Amino acid sequence: MLVIGAGAAGLAAAVTAARNGGSVTLLEANEKPGKKILVSGNGRCNIGNRQIDPRRYHSGDPLFVSRVLRGYDHTVIETFLRSVGLELEEEEEGKLFPLGRKASSVVALLTRECQRLGVKLVTECQVTDIQKMQEGFLIKSSQGVYRSTRLLLAAGSPAAPQLGGSNAVMLLAQKLGHRLIPPRPALVALTSDEPWPHRAAGVKLPAHLTLTAGGEKIRETRGDLLFTDYGVSGLAVLDLSREASLRLHEWEYCELRIDLLPRYSRERLENLLLARIDPRRNLPLSLWLEGILHPKLVSVILEETKLTLQSEALLHRKAIKKLVYTLKNLRLPLSGARDFRYAEVATGGIDVSEVDPETMESKLIPGLYFAGEILDVDGDRGGFNFHWAWTTGIRAGKKLRVKS
C-alpha cells in the first residue's frame, strides 16, 4: 500500500497499517516528515484535546464528522501515541501536550516506529499524477513511478506553504473524479483598511470580540487580541477567523466589535471612571485615560468618541457614557483574512459526502482513501485538528493492511 503525505495523518496510517501486516511505502514532499508537527504550539506541540466534541469541527456534512469521531475519543489517541513511546499531559481547556513539551520528539518517535515496522519512507517526493488502473493505481512522482492496489491521500491542505502545504494532491483527487470544495485560510489573522490598528501595533490585551456580518452577530469569543500593522491577530481573532474568512471571500461586510475591558460591566466601568475624576489633579484627558488604557489606544478612543475636552476636570456623565460605550464597543471594519502563508489550517477540501466515514475509503473509487486535512473538515484551535488527523489516519490504516 502507498501513503502520500507524512504528516500526522499519514504517519498514523502507516504505523497502523504496518502493525497489521501491511507493506507500506510513505511518500513525503518535504525533505523530512512531520514538518507541520514540528512547529505546532511554538514547538511544544498541542497534540490533541481531551474534550473532543463534533461541534468543535466544521464541515459541509457535520454528520460525517460525528460518525468518524464515534469510538475515537482522546483515550484511543493517547493509547496510540503511548504505543510509540510518547507520554502526554493535559493543560488548560483539555489541551494535550507531550510530557517533554518537544514537538521534535513526536516526529522522532513516530519515524522510529515506522522504521521498526519496515515502512519505506521516501522524502523530497513530489507526486505529479495519479492514474486509476484496472487493478490499483499508478503514481508518477519526482522520485519515479509507483504502483499500489490501495492508496491513501493524506497530503494536507494549502495552509502554511512554507512548511510544504499545498493543494496539489487535492487537485489530483479532483482529477480522479472527486468534488473539491475550494480551500480558504482559517485560524488566521484578519486585515483591516482602517489606519488606527497600525498606530496601535504591538498592543496585546485580553478582549471580548464579536464578529458581525451584514449587521448580524455571527460569533463571539474572549481571549488575547493583538493589534498589528495590517489589522488584528491573537488567539481570540483566530477563533473567529474561519467565519470571517469565508464571509469576506463572498464580499460580505464584516466588522469586529471589540470590548477592550471585558472584566468590567458597563455599569462598573462607568462608576470607575466617574470615581477617577479629580478636579484638583486636573490631568490632561489623554494622560487620564492612560491610567486605564495602553497609551497607543488612548488617541484611538478619543478619536472614536470625538471628545474635545482637554482635561479630566471638564468630564461630565454624558462624556463618561461615550467613553464607556467606545471602550466596550470599539468597531473595526475588516477587509480580509491573511493568506495561506499565515494560516494554521484551511477550510474546504475533498467533499466528505463521497467518503465512507467508517473506513475513509472513497465511495467513488475502490481502494482510494483519505485522511487528515485534505478532507472538508477543519477543527477549532486547541489540538482538535491533530485529533482529526490521528483519528482519520488510524481509521484508514486499519483498512490498508492488505499487502500491495
Side-chain angles (χ1 to χ4, degrees):
M1 56 156 288
L2 198 68
V3 177
I4 298 177
L11 287 166
V15 168
T16 303
R19 284 176 175 176
N20 284 281
S23 175
V24 185
T25 298
L26 185 55
L27 307 182
E28 170 55 43
N30 287 317
E31 70 278 6
K32 292 181 180 179
K35 205 163 184 180
K36 284 190 178 181
I37 299 175
L38 290 172
V39 302
S40 63
N42 293 320
R44 296 170 69 241
C45 197
N46 179 193
I47 203 168
N49 198 293
R50 283 190 174 166
Q51 299 174 11
I52 295 303
D53 187 323
R55 291 173 294 183
R56 303 303 297 266
Y57 294 89
H58 315 280
S59 171
D61 185 357
L63 181 59
F64 175 86
V65 176
S66 296
R67 291 181 65 186
V68 170
L69 294 176
R70 190 178 302 147
Y72 280 77
D73 64 5
H74 67 89
T75 60
V76 176
I77 306 308
E78 290 181 59
T79 299
F80 170 75
L81 293 171
R82 286 197 176 98
S83 76
V84 303
L86 189 71
E87 294 298 326
L88 306 180
E89 188 171 56
E90 183 179 358
E91 290 191 7
E92 78 283 351
E93 299 176 331
K95 296 175 187 173
L96 290 171
F97 289 84
L99 192 56
R101 301 302 193 277
K102 198 69 176 171
S104 58
S105 299
V106 179
V107 177
L109 287 166
L110 285 164
T111 303
R112 177 57 184 265
E113 183 67 359
C114 283
Q115 292 171 345
R116 186 184 74 82
L117 294 166
V119 174
K120 181 181 179 183
L121 175 62
V122 183
T123 57
E124 297 183 283
C125 183
Q126 303 283 343
V127 174
T128 56
D129 191 34
I130 300 171
Q131 297 176 21
K132 180 69 177 79
M133 311 301 285
Q134 188 171 354
E135 290 190 10
F137 302 87
L138 184 144
I139 297 93
K140 295 180 180 178
S141 78
S142 59
Q143 298 277 21
V145 176
Y146 296 87
R147 289 176 175 82
S148 179
T149 57
R150 296 195 176 193
L151 174 64
L152 170 63
L153 304 184
S157 76
Q162 69 276 21
L163 300 174
S166 169
N167 67 348
V169 176
M170 283 183 178
L171 294 174
L172 293 177
Q174 184 182 42
K175 183 181 172 184
L176 288 170
H178 273 274
R179 178 171 177 255
L180 175 61
I181 298 165
R184 308 292 176 211
L187 296 184
V188 67
L190 301 173
T191 62
S192 175
D193 292 332
E194 290 291 305
W196 65 260
H198 176 81
R199 301 206 316 267
V203 176
K204 184 178 181 181
L205 73 166
H208 185 98
L209 303 183
T210 302
L211 173 67
T212 66
E216 294 185 8
K217 183 169 76 172
I218 304 302
R219 188 176 175 186
E220 56 186 327
T221 190
R222 186 167 173 170
D224 288 342
L225 168 66
L226 174 67
F227 293 103
T228 69
D229 289 334
Y230 53 80
V232 284
S233 186
L235 298 181
V237 171
L238 298 186
D239 289 341
L240 298 174
S241 63
R242 183 185 196 276
E243 289 84 353
S245 178
L246 291 171
R247 290 171 183 274
L248 287 162
H249 183 79
E250 296 299 322
W251 302 101
E252 287 189 57
Y253 175 77
C254 292
E255 184 178 83
L256 275 186
R257 296 179 184 176
I258 306 169
D259 182 349
L260 295 170
L261 294 166
R263 293 173 184 161
Y264 289 82
S265 66
R266 290 193 180 191
E267 182 181 7
R268 185 182 171 204
L269 182 56
E270 184 177 330
N271 290 336
L272 172 66
L273 295 184
L274 285 169
R276 292 188 69 248
I277 299 172
D278 185 346
R280 293 172 301 173
R281 183 176 57 200
N282 201 22
L283 290 174
L285 188 55
S286 59
L287 187 56
W288 182 79
L289 279 171
E290 284 190 31
I292 63 163
L293 200 62
H294 193 287
K296 286 186 176 182
L297 289 171
V298 168
S299 63
V300 175
I301 295 301
L302 289 176
E303 285 178 8
E304 291 295 314
T305 55
K306 297 181 171 57
L307 288 180
T308 57
L309 305 176
Q310 298 300 309
S311 70
E312 66 175 307
L314 299 175
L315 284 169
H316 45 76
R317 187 172 288 273
K318 185 176 180 181
I320 291 295
K321 285 185 177 293
K322 265 190 171 185
L323 284 169
V324 169
Y325 178 81
T326 306
L327 288 166
K328 303 286 288 180
N329 199 49
L330 182 61
R331 299 191 176 204
L332 178 66
L334 299 171
S335 59
R338 300 203 86 187
D339 62 43
F340 283 118
R341 290 174 296 169
Y342 307 97
E344 292 185 22
V345 297
T347 69
I350 299 303
D351 187 346
V352 295
S353 68
E354 301 170 346
V355 179
D356 184 332
E358 299 295 328
T359 64
M360 309 313 297
E361 186 174 13
S362 166
K363 294 179 180 178
L364 309 180
I365 306 168
L368 179 65
Y369 296 77
F370 298 93
E373 203 182 333
I374 195 171
L375 293 161
D376 174 34
V377 179
D378 57 283
D380 290 345
R381 175 184 58 82
F384 294 98
N385 287 292
F386 265 127
H387 184 91
W388 179 257
W390 305 126
T391 296
T392 53
I394 294 169
R395 274 196 180 276
K398 286 182 177 180
K399 300 299 178 181
L400 288 166
R401 60 181 177 269
V402 175
K403 293 188 177 183
S404 57

